[in-house]
Amino acid sequence: MPAREGTYGLLAEFDTPGDLVRAARQAHQDGWRRMDCYTPYPVEEAAEAIGFHRNKVPLLTLIGGLLGGAAMFALQTWISVLAYPINVAGRPTYSWPAFIVPAYEWTILWAGLSAAFGMLALNGLPALYHPLFNAPNFRDGATTDKFFLCLEALDPKFDLAEAKAYLQQFHPNSVVEVEY
Amino acid sequence: MATREVKPNDPAIDPATGEFRVIAPGQTFRSITEKIVRIVLTPHTPMGWFGLFTVAGGGAVMLLVALTWLFLKGVGIWGITQPVAWGFAIINFVWWIGIGHAGTLISAILLLFKQGWRNSISRFAEAMTIFAVACAGLFPLVHMGRPWLGYWLFPLPFTMTVWPQFRSPLMWDVFAVSTYATISVVFWYIGMVPDLATMRDRAQSKIAQYFYGMLSVGWRGSIRHWMRYETASLLLAGLATPLVLSVHTVISFDFAVAVLPGWHTTIFPPYFVAGAIYSGFAMVLTLAIPLRKFYHLEQLVTERHIDNCGKVMLATGFIVAYGYAMEAFMAWYSANHWEAFTFWNRAFGPMGWSYWVLITCNLAIPLTTLWSRKLRTNIAFMFFISIVVNTGMWFERFVIVVTSLTRDFLPSSWGTYRATKWDYMTFVGTLAFFTFLFLLFVRLLPMMPMNEIRMLLPGAKIKPKVAEAAD
Amino acid sequence: MAQIFDRSSNALARMSIVLTGLIVIALGVTLDQLQRSPWVTRQGQRADQPVPFSHKHHVQGLGLQCQYCHTTVEKSSYAGIPPTRTCMNCHAQIWTNAQLLEPVRQSWYTGQSIPWIKVHDLPDYVYFSHEIHVNKGIGCETCHGRVDEMPLMYAQNTLQMEWCLGCHRNPAKNLRPTSQIYNMDWQEPAEDHPVWCAAADNKPGVPTAESVSCTTKDPASSPESQAALTSPAIPVPVSMTTGTSTQMTPNQSAATLEAQKFTSQDALGHFLVVHYKIRTPKDLTSCEVCHR
Amino acid sequence: MSAEKSKSSAVEKPVGSEVNDAKHNANPAAVAQGASSEPMTLEAVRRELKGAKGKEYWRSLDELANTPEFQAAVEREFPAAAQEWVDPVSRRGFLRLMGASMALAGLAGCTKQPDEPIYPYVKAPEDLILGKPMYFATAHPFSTGAVPLLVKSDEFRPIKIDGNPEHAYNHGGSDPYSQGTLLDLYDPDRSQHVTYRGENREWEEFAEALRDKVTSTKDGSGIYFLSAAITSPTLARQWQEVQRAYPKAMLAQYEPAIAGTFLEKGFNVQYDLSQADVIVSLDADFLSGAAYPGFHKLVRDYASRRKQPENGMNRLYAVESTTTTTGMKAEHRLGLRASEIPAFAAALAQAVGVTYFNPPVYAWTDEQKKFLEAVAKDLKANAGKSAVIPGLYQDPWVAQLAMDMNNALRNTGATVQMAGHSTDPGVPEPTDQLGDFKSLVADLNAGRVDWLIILNANPIYDAPADLDFADAFNKANVVAHLGSHYDETGHQAHWHIPAAHYLESWSDARAYDGTVSIVQPMIDPLYGGRTAHHVFQALLNDPMVSPYDAVRETWKPVIKGDFETGWRKALHDGWIEGTAYRLDIVSGIEGMAKSLEEAKSKNLLPAGWPSNVPVPTPKDSIEIIFRPDPNIYDGRWANVGWLQELPKPVTSLSWDNAAIVSGATLSKWGLEEDDIIEISVGNGRVKAPVIVAPGHPDNSVTVYLGYGREFAGRVGSGQGFNAYLIRNTWAPFYATGAIRKLEGKWGIAITKSHFQDQRGATFGEQGHGNNSLEADEALGERGIIRYATLDEFKANPNFAHEGERYETPSRDTSLFPNWPYNEANAWAMSIDMNSCTGCNACIISCYAENNIAVVGKQQVRIGRNMQWLRIDTYFEGDLAAPRAHFQPMNCQHCENAPCEQVCPVGATVHTPEGLNMMVYNRCVGTRYCSNNCPYKVRRFNFLLYSDYETESLKLMRNPDVSVRSRGVMEKCNYCVQRINAAKIEADKENRNIRDGEIVTACQQACPAGAIVFGNINDPNSRVSKLRAQQRSYQVIADQNARPRTQYLAEVLNVNQELEEAPVEHAPAKG
């Protein structure tokens, strides 16, 4: 992506999840959309506050699982029935009960991998560089004990001065401007 | 059952529940973060760590020697023979895999059951799982007569155009174990990402920052990320649960599918799984108890955890006991001579001693004592129990694998089994290797999930405005 | 508390992920190709032989037949490497002081073997029998290629298991009349050059090799091929090597034979499968056929 | 391979070459090379290698082997080896790479082979078809009678030895000894050059020295020969000529296992057990091995009367002093101490009407009395249809009495023929061996011996202890030793001449029935060995006459019609027509008289005849019984790995001999198995491990001869203890001695598990204290051994399938559809437990056919022996007086094979014809199959067992069978290489495989014809018919694995009078 210039957004820091949630809920009611919360642990209320409800991870997982299972079962059947059919212990070449086990394992394997890497992908990770890291107080708090609300510049309502003022009403520890 | 009456002013007790606290009082987000991060980011490593690390490293080298000799000479250097063609290698394999189960169980199943207390022990339990599986995975490979052909067990397009034989439980193992290893690692890593981010942000040195920065793939705690993250972990937990159950079931198929009396038993799957969890929790204790002492983590790994582990062991221990009872019962009730004789031989044959060791270590000692809360919360005793149970579970596998094989269908080809020094070196070697890896983990990675522990703190409670105003 | 990584690192990170994937795939493909490569199979490689013996010269040029040297090909699992004496049969008279033949003469005088390098070298746990293949209608050329056009001998095929199975799973595609075994440029039947075959009702006891007689000229039309059909049953040497020959080895008089016309290898193959009593693919792909 | 075709070539081959080649070369190729100009010879190589020993030796030989000179040399002297490109050497080289080197780890799927050289002949032998074996008839000359053989030869290397199927004496049957001689031929430790005081010399030098010496003596005084028992009529003839030329030259024969027996005197009896309803063995072990004269015929006839119980069968009584398979097979067995047997024989003789003497008074126990009466009664009831067989290692009285009984019972002329009394002696040179040996020693001590020439004997090792031969030995001026190994005697002698193996040289020999076989060479002497023929001939006027000519000379007068034709026929068939002993039909009293005067004339009569039958020693005295070893005989085969590793019958002891006692005696002396005891007889003392043999008489100890070799070779040296040290001329077969417990354990290797059934004790009951746990299980709940008495069988022919655990699941007891086996062939095997006498011939045959590795004592101790086929032995009932059941156990080729299902790589799978195939090169070695095999017949190469170093062994291997490397599972595969060869022939000839066309190695070797292999899709095949019998059952049938190998249940023709407790063919729950 072309390196953007200018302001990424405004970052308000809170001490408690409570404050954050109230602020976020208010902002959302006031029509802010391009915003995000940053917390050291998942705060579900905050997600609801900014109206983030469902995600695509489960779907990916389901698809991955089904594909994995089907692939394995098909492979086994092809090998034992078509590729080189041999009489093993007088068992039928199509010994489906035996084939279930590896197929089952692969269902789980691929479901699991899809879940994990799907999640990362949807989150746009890895993203080693991010404007937020420019904020002086962000890295010290966001992954430890501080709760942030960020109004992004891309939001149509966004205006640096107004936004700053708007955030101040929630009595954050600080409000800082984040550059790209 | 509580043998110890609850004193109102006991700090270890949560007055609300009357149960032990999961986390000792007076912890803040920052304090626990610091506590856990410091262990890793401290400039000077404790001497004790170095000492242990050297010892474990030495053991790992011994393992290397044993395996090198094995490759040069062949599996004949072990005690295996006719008719006992499987020995220590398979015993250790099953044992290690079993150990692994507790990790996944704690992090996955207890997560599904919303057992908050699991949070502070889940991380190193998972680490334990991975290293145990690593040790386990070693054995199926090296126990082969021609290990350099191990890749023939994978369905790959060779010019021979011959393929693996999927009716064999060993093939099932290949997939079960590899899946289990992969999923465990992923689950472990994903769980660690936010904490790695914390490490990144706590780290002072540039190298550390780069190291953890890379590992944490730029995690920044966005709430959207958190939500997807939560879903993913939940799904992984949901997948890991059937997986962990299936893995030891499949392992048990190695025996249950065979025709051998003493192996050919339908009860194996459930009681292998139970046994696995049994030994797994034992191992968790074996690790947790010294750890919390050494790094002063008593506030995070409290007596509550020890106590609960004890309860889980009690429960699974009884399932295992039921398994043994059933074997005995079926031996009589089935009126099947093969079974009857095999059971008789197990208990009273030339290898009978091993059976009684197993009974003592798995049933006699733990199942009588774990009832008492006093003992369950007696750290020293629990440590002892954990060792005992692990021994017992090892002997369970010994009895199943060796004793059954020494005397099977044809009396003419009965035999005996005596392990050689190479067997012991390999086994002890893997123990050392396990410790080695675990020490590295403790030193380099956050051994407790900070983000999950944070949720347990009072500070994480979101109070309505009014209440807030009140205080 | 500033950025740790540069802006570029995001792109870098994603790229490296993709790259890793590609590398893994590439590695797989390479290995898969390697195991079939001539480097492993020696396919098409000319070994450094003590004497640069030219099959082309001896077969095409002089018209020697295969069996003149490889005497036991029909009787034994080994086709047989000619003893020095066989070389000396001629080279006692001709090329008596050619430098090339020095090793041969050495061998003859000292009584020491000529140390040839094995060109068609199966793994030693593979038990291959020339006699059964030759007697069931697999021509030399099918496996060894146009030996008559090889100045220096090399392996035409990989001789790998998948290659063997290729034929054992469907023998029909390579079968030819036993009379054509030694024919180096045997043409699969086609519209423009069909083959007529007549099956003698092969009663048990009659070797399957003699149960079919074929010709490339329409037996109905050409009288001289009638002659061919009634000619003696022993393979006529000339016909073995001179590929163009229409000479065949019938095992009884043409009168009793109902010649059948074939215009495709497939049809001919299946006809021969029946009359040579070729075992089923199930039998032919069973492990003990080649491994003991 | 049709016998005719192959054997026709056998005719010219050795002859043709012989005629035009002085060095009696076994093939023309080599002859031709004789002409070629001065090349490197193996002699040169040997010189080069002088000093190098053992492994080192073969290493350096390996290096050498790559030089073209060596190749040429090898090719010249035995072209077989030159055929690198078909010889499995390179194959093994490759397998070794594959197996033993990690270098290939990454590549094993697409292994790059090293360049393999081809060494074609320079001049190919005319009728050699590479890849097609040839078959030559010959015979194994053995002191108890030659064994007619048909030898399979691959490119002129003998690679398999079997009985001559067309020979009237053994009908193709053989025995462990004969089978083992193959490995003896290729033994890398055979002596390789003539030496004089340790320095290499040429044979000619010796011959010259000897000849000069002897001629200088004029009359041969001072020239002494000490020879092993002479088995060759030609050799006997040559000796007689020598004696004619030098009357004072002396010959002593000494063969430790023969000296003092009735055989040495030529006492020659022929039995026809096919006519005998009742057989009584007086310490005669005629069922367990060739050590008993006429073994092959005896077993065959014995078995022939047990194959169809419904048509009546014979009954065998055995009275014996040590546990043998004969006694174990007997319906009724009485264990007596050796010294009691003459007295018992006397009592029995009297009971059946031999009256010319008074049996010694002796306090027989009631049991013994009862037994005696019953036997006597049965004998009289079956007069003329019975046979009494005397033990070879018993007092001559027993033989005499046995003959008298046979006469009195009018068996003579019917089941028994006294050939020896009226026509030829049983051995070419009858003599009193011990007597001669004594006088030889006397002469030695008196300094009368100038030259002592020892022929194929090893007296330093095996001379009777009391003669102190080693000392007397040094009193001779010159001692020459002709022997296959540089053995104990070789080390002491001045001259040592390597002896040619019988497969390397011309000779002749008589089978026990007298039929003469020509012994013809299969291969050039590997190490330029010579024979006794050469030695004697060297002293005669025409010293250059080769053994070949000598042998022809001998039989010229005998062979009728045109000699050349007759001679070729003899070589082709393997025997000379009409040379069998003439059996004069005399019987009864006249027979007795006749035999008596014969005996008198030949002074065969035992000491003290006619009245003093030897009196048994006191019951509490300890008797030491000497027997030749069932595997290595008198020690001559100590270096044959196959025979060393072979578990001995009854005791399953391998790699050692031991002091064998009864359980009661063991506990009485306060010993445990494997304890070390000291046995002393006279002045001799030996340390021996003690083991128990069920049914062994109390207060007596059996020791096998032949062990404790000092210079046997890499395999045999130092195994076991030397029992000759306590064996004296005055008591060659059994002596009273003493034992003393010593400290420590010996570390014996016993291959079968043996526990006492103490299960009852576990629960406070007393249990079947003295039963074998294994047997109680096998005969009990598990139904592994099933048998009935004749009466029970007649009452219920289906006994083998009745009773709940005996039932065989029906074909549709399966979750899956049955796999169709509708090919032309479906292979299967039937093993007749009634015929099997547990002689082990099949096992050694299997070794040779399938290139099975020898693993060594330590590996056997921990249970890793590689035999594909084993004889399971179960001792039923009280271990003090058990009955044994022998069960040959090899891969059962289950249709629902448990092993196959669990193999992750499909290395063991089923063929369309129902073989359970093991694909070695696919095996990765998880050993799961072995665990899951109910019969535990799979064998695993835990280490690198196959020998890739030793050159000579490479020549021996069967080129049609892969040599298995380390980490690979292996097992019996019904000799699939033979099946495939037959299939190719049949396919070429456009026909089905004939019944009996394919014979497995074990079947081929079995002298009792107990094993039958064939096609069960052909209802008329022998195997189908056998399996159709009601007695045919599957072992462990209830597992529904559907084994293709089935067993015919035993039927015992017991004598009700002696049947104490009703036989438990269906015993109570164990």
Side-chain angles (χ1 to χ4, degrees), chain D residues 736-751:
Chain D
T736 47
I739 72 116
R740 181 165 70 86
K741 183 184 190 312
L742 300 177
E743 281 318 303
K745 296 274 183 187
W746 184 280
I748 48 167
I750 289 188
T751 60

Side-chain angles (χ1 to χ4, degrees), chain C residues 150-229:
Chain C
M150 295 182 187
L152 287 176
M153 192 62 190
Y154 60 86
Q156 176 82 19
N157 294 297
T158 64
L159 306 192
Q160 278 173 323
M161 185 168 172
E162 62 181 1
W163 175 77
C164 300
L165 284 171
C167 186
H168 276 218
R169 283 176 174 152
N170 176 14
K173 71 175 181 223
N174 286 318
L175 289 181
R176 59 174 73 176
T178 46
S179 58
Q180 294 302 303
I181 294 302
Y182 305 101
N183 178 350
M184 275 298 151
D185 66 357
W186 158 257
Q187 304 291 327
E188 293 187 346
E191 286 303 341
D192 51 347
H193 50 87
V195 170
W196 288 265
C197 285
D201 56 328
N202 48 353
K203 50 187 100 46
V206 179
T208 49
E210 299 167 16
S211 60
V212 174
S213 61
C214 300
T215 169
T216 50
K217 291 238 179 72
D218 188 344
S221 65
S222 63
E224 79 276 18
S225 70
Q226 287 289 355
L229 281 166

Side-chain angles (χ1 to χ4, degrees), chain C residues 3-237:
Chain C
Q3 290 282 0
I4 302 173
F5 298 93
D6 178 74
R7 294 170 182 276
S8 60
S9 56
N10 290 355
L12 215 63
R14 295 181 184 140
M15 216 148 63
S16 52
I17 292 177
V18 178
L19 222 61
T20 324
L22 290 178
I23 290 173
V24 170
I25 295 167
L27 202 67
V29 175
T30 319
L31 283 175
D32 183 47
Q33 288 312 309
L34 183 68
Q35 62 174 348
R36 295 177 171 80
S37 69
W39 180 77
V40 170
T41 62
R42 293 238 172 75
Q43 183 182 17
Q45 291 182 4
R46 292 160 181 76
D48 181 13
Q49 302 288 10
V51 181
F53 176 84
S54 163
H55 278 87
K56 184 174 200 283
H57 172 68
H58 288 83
V59 178
Q60 211 176 51
L62 307 175
L64 293 183
Q65 65 146 315
C66 308
Q67 277 171 301
Y68 180 77
C69 297
H70 306 291
T71 48
T72 57
V73 70
E74 284 182 354
K75 317 196 272 286
S76 164
S77 43
Y78 307 109
I81 298 295
T84 313
R85 171 183 278 154
T86 311
C87 312
M88 293 308 281
N89 287 348
C90 301
H91 289 293
Q93 280 77 31
I94 57 174
W95 298 109
T96 44
N97 42 22
Q99 209 21 261
L100 285 179
L101 299 179
E102 189 48 31
V104 180
R105 289 190 295 272
Q106 273 307 319
S107 157
W108 183 248
Y109 296 132
T110 62
Q112 295 169 14
S113 305
I114 307 171
W116 300 103
I117 306 280
K118 205 168 178 186
V119 173
H120 293 89
D121 188 6
L122 288 171
D124 296 292
Y125 47 73
V126 177
Y127 292 83
F128 174 83
S129 165
H130 276 94
E131 65 178 315
I132 194 63
H133 288 83
V134 169
N135 279 279
K136 293 285 179 181
I138 297 295
C140 307
E141 179 265 346
T142 309
C143 306
H144 296 288
R146 292 302 298 268
V147 173
D148 62 331
E149 293 172 355
M150 295 182 187
L152 287 176
M153 192 62 190
Y154 60 86
Q156 176 82 19
N157 294 297
T158 64
L159 306 192
Q160 278 173 323
M161 185 168 172
E162 62 181 1
W163 175 77
C164 300
L165 284 171
C167 186
H168 276 218
R169 283 176 174 152
N170 176 14
K173 71 175 181 223
N174 286 318
L175 289 181
R176 59 174 73 176
T178 46
S179 58
Q180 294 302 303
I181 294 302
Y182 305 101
N183 178 350
M184 275 298 151
D185 66 357
W186 158 257
Q187 304 291 327
E188 293 187 346
E191 286 303 341
D192 51 347
H193 50 87
V195 170
W196 288 265
C197 285
D201 56 328
N202 48 353
K203 50 187 100 46
V206 179
T208 49
E210 299 167 16
S211 60
V212 174
S213 61
C214 300
T215 169
T216 50
K217 291 238 179 72
D218 188 344
S221 65
S222 63
E224 79 276 18
S225 70
Q226 287 289 355
L229 281 166
T230 48
S231 71
I234 21 91
V236 186

Side-chain angles (χ1 to χ4, degrees), chain C residues 31 34-36 38-42 45 47 72 74-86 107-119 121-127 129 131-132 135-136 160 202-209 211 276-277 279-280 282-283 286-292, chain D residues 33 36-37 39 68-69 72 75-76 82 85-86 90-92 94-95 98 107 109-124 126 128-132 820 822-823 825 906 909-913 915 917-921 959-962 973 976-977 980 983-985 987-991:
Chain C
L31 283 175
L34 183 68
Q35 62 174 348
R36 295 177 171 80
W39 180 77
V40 170
T41 62
R42 293 238 172 75
Q45 291 182 4
T72 57
E74 284 182 354
K75 317 196 272 286
S76 164
S77 43
Y78 307 109
I81 298 295
T84 313
R85 171 183 278 154
T86 311
S107 157
W108 183 248
Y109 296 132
T110 62
Q112 295 169 14
S113 305
I114 307 171
W116 300 103
I117 306 280
K118 205 168 178 186
V119 173
D121 188 6
L122 288 171
D124 296 292
Y125 47 73
V126 177
Y127 292 83
S129 165
E131 65 178 315
I132 194 63
N135 279 279
K136 293 285 179 181
Q160 278 173 323
N202 48 353
K203 50 187 100 46
V206 179
T208 49
S211 60
Y276 287 161
K277 298 240 174 74
R279 289 177 176 269
T280 65
K282 189 175 100 197
D283 292 356
S286 174
C287 307
E288 99 284 15
V289 171
C290 307
H291 301 294
R292 307 159 212 163
Chain D
Q33 269 98 39
S36 59
S37 66
E69 296 80 6
E75 171 181 300
R76 188 171 324 99
W85 69 300
V86 288
S90 42
R91 162 177 316 136
R92 260 169 277 123
F94 172 64
L95 276 180
M98 187 177 76
L107 284 173
C110 41
T111 308
K112 189 173 166 67
Q113 292 182 58
D115 270 328
E116 276 193 69
I118 307 176
Y119 294 103
Y121 279 108
V122 173
K123 306 177 180 77
E126 266 55 15
L128 169 66
I129 300 176
L130 287 171
K132 289 281 186 228
N822 45 18
E823 301 280 320
N825 308 305
V909 296
H910 245 65
T911 74
E913 298 181 338
L915 295 179
M917 271 306 295
M918 185 69 219
V919 189
Y920 307 123
N921 43 303
D960 296 333
V961 177
S962 306
N973 51 24
V976 66
Q977 63 277 11
N980 278 19
K983 262 165 116 175
I984 287 181
E985 278 309 310
D987 281 11
K988 276 168 65 182
E989 294 163 23
N990 185 17
R991 59 172 172 83

Side-chain angles (χ1 to χ4, degrees), chain B residues 71 76 78 80-82 85-86 143 145-146 148-149 151 165 168 254 258-259 337-338 341 344 408-409 412, chain D residues 99 108-109 759 777 782 862 864 872 901-904 923-928 931-932 936 938 942 966 1038:
Chain B
F71 286 149
W78 289 345
I80 48 175
T81 173
Q82 304 284 355
W86 280 357
H143 102 292
R146 304 199 288 168
W148 52 93
L149 297 181
Y151 62 92
Q165 202 279 99
S168 166
D254 287 349
V259 299
H337 179 68
W338 307 115
F341 181 87
W344 173 84
D408 66 350
F409 293 93
S412 66
Chain D
R759 273 171 299 181
E777 281 295 311
R782 308 194 176 198
I862 53 180
R864 293 177 180 175
D872 291 348
Q901 194 210 341
V902 297
C903 176
C923 178
V924 297
T926 67
R927 307 182 298 286
Y928 198 174
N931 289 343
N932 210 28
K936 287 290 171 286
R938 291 179 157 263
F942 288 93
R966 164 197 142 196
D1038 63 345

Side-chain angles (χ1 to χ4, degrees), chain D residues 254 454-463 481 487-490 709:
Chain D
Y254 175 66
I454 298 171
L455 303 174
N456 298 313
N458 187 7
I460 294 289
Y461 162 70
D462 60 20
H481 170 247
D487 56 18
E488 292 80 353
T489 310
R709 293 288 306 275

Side-chain angles (χ1 to χ4, degrees), chain D residues 7-23:
Chain D
K7 282 166 75 187
S8 59
S9 61
V11 180
E12 300 90 16
K13 178 60 48 265
V15 187
S17 58
E18 187 53 42
V19 179
N20 52 31
D21 175 25
K23 352 200 311 283

